[in-house]
Amino acid sequence: MSNVATKVAVIGSGISGAVCASTLARNGVSVTLFDSARGPGGRMSQRREIAEDGKELLFDHGAPFFSISNTDVLRLVHEWELKGLVAEWKENFGSFDYHSKKFIEIDQDGMSKRYVGVPGMNSICKALCNETGVESKFGVGVGRLEWLDNENSWLVMGMDGQNHGSFKGVVASDKSIFSSRFKDVTGSPPPLDLSLVPELAMKLQDIPVNPCFALMLAFTEPLSLIPVKGFSFKNSEILSWAHCDSSKPGRSTTSERWVLHSTSKYARDIISQTGLRKPSAATLTKVAEDVLEEFKSTGLNGSQPFFRKVHRCVDFVVSTGGCLSRGSAFPAASVAGEEKCLWDDKKKLGICGDFCVSPNVEGAILSGLAAAAKLIDAPSCL
């Protein structure tokens, strides 16, 4: 691959960034991947919690599963299946009407396959970020991307001011790299100055997102009144989705674990009161009580959980200690159209993510593949 820019930085280790980094590495590109989180996954992260009795509890608190229709993505998924990273989640799903307190739809024929990572949703990203040719730097937030005009390269600076070197190309799969919300939260400008890429700037201004609270619950006994393992809610102001995490392939069944997602309206109402800073313990307690009470009032849950904890999915938050933590709100727009990613050929800058294609895992994968293809096809900068 003599025509490839041979040193590239990928920012963000969600499925889009991970697929992009892996694809580049397989095509002979040296990739350094940066993520401020402790590990890969983004919305496909898995949370490890400890119950009062010391028992370990694992939850896929973001994307519960994914379905595939694109043939290129399906080939990738089959490759992951052969490696044991992915399995089909063969359970019944449905929809529950909160007003009538009845299931109004139950899908028993499996019209579309639902896939999950094994043993967690983040297993795919973990494997991709560890492939030969990918150097992954976790716990390293990018504070500034500086364009070096005389060298036709990007200088990557950390949140702490550390110089992480220059790169012939950059792919950003993390919205906070260019989001105006970065300044609202940190007081500092976003790492990427959009005036450097005016043709992309208009498309990247204030991408709308749907925030969400995820309540993780663990029960000693199965919730036998629920005839499905995943279902959406109709006519609920608070709940949008519920799934039984312990029913997925490769998960521990020593307890029954459920994840409940709030509606975006409920999450926005809470965030409008608390702001983007890390919610207080009192706020999180209120959210847990609201969501659990709404779940109980369905009549489907007759027992008390022995564990409960709320996680907030937003663009990014600042903890009380001042540390930036990038999260994972669900995108509400697609900005790239048929190109599937945004690309500046002069500066070899790619923007990818589900917000470029469609708000799901398949959209994120397609965007990551598209960004990798742009760099692979780019004329040499060397």
Side-chain angles (χ1 to χ4, degrees), residues 67 133 139 142 153 156 163 319 326 364:
S67 297
V142 173
S153 63
V156 176
N163 183 343
S319 69
R326 295 187 175 103

Side-chain angles (χ1 to χ4, degrees), residues 41-87:
R43 255 187 311 285
M44 293 178 71
S45 294
Q46 185 182 63
R47 289 188 72 86
R48 177 179 178 270
E49 303 290 347
I50 303 297
E52 288 185 359
D53 61 0
K55 186 180 299 180
E56 180 184 71
L57 303 170
L58 299 175
F59 296 90
D60 294 330
H61 62 289
F65 64 88
F66 59 96
S67 297
I68 300 299
S69 59
N70 179 274
T71 54
D72 291 334
V73 179
L74 196 57
R75 278 195 290 269
L76 262 184
V77 172
H78 286 161
E79 178 184 321
W80 298 337
E81 274 190 293
L82 291 174
K83 293 180 178 179
L85 301 173
V86 167

Side-chain angles (χ1 to χ4, degrees), residues 25-141:
R26 291 185 181 196
N27 283 273
V29 181
S30 175
V31 179
T32 303
L33 185 145
F34 297 92
D35 199 302
S36 59
R38 290 175 294 178
R43 255 187 311 285
M44 293 178 71
S45 294
Q46 185 182 63
R47 289 188 72 86
R48 177 179 178 270
E49 303 290 347
I50 303 297
E52 288 185 359
D53 61 0
K55 186 180 299 180
E56 180 184 71
L57 303 170
L58 299 175
F59 296 90
D60 294 330
H61 62 289
F65 64 88
F66 59 96
S67 297
I68 300 299
S69 59
N70 179 274
T71 54
D72 291 334
V73 179
L74 196 57
R75 278 195 290 269
L76 262 184
V77 172
H78 286 161
E79 178 184 321
W80 298 337
E81 274 190 293
L82 291 174
K83 293 180 178 179
L85 301 173
V86 167
E88 187 181 349
W89 190 13
K90 298 178 180 180
E91 295 287 353
N92 294 337
F93 293 76
S95 181
F96 183 86
D97 179 46
Y98 190 76
H99 285 169
S100 67
K101 301 293 191 288
K102 293 180 180 179
F103 282 92
I104 54 178
E105 299 170 16
I106 294 182
D107 169 23
Q108 295 181 325
D109 50 13
M111 292 295 289
S112 61
K113 292 185 177 181
R114 298 175 178 90
Y115 295 98
V116 298
V118 178
M121 288 296 284
N122 62 348
S123 63
I124 307 166
C125 296
K126 277 185 177 181
L128 296 177
C129 292
N130 283 317
E131 285 195 359
T132 302
V134 179
E135 179 187 4
S136 295
K137 295 188 175 183
F138 297 110
V140 178

Side-chain angles (χ1 to χ4, degrees), residues 24 60 71 98 114 133 154 162 185 228 240 247 260 271 275 290 311 313 321 357:
L24 288 170
D60 294 330
T71 54
Y98 190 76
R114 298 175 178 90
W154 291 94
Q162 182 179 348
V185 172
V228 295
S240 66
S247 71
L260 312 181
I271 293 170
D290 288 349
H311 175 75
C313 300
V357 182

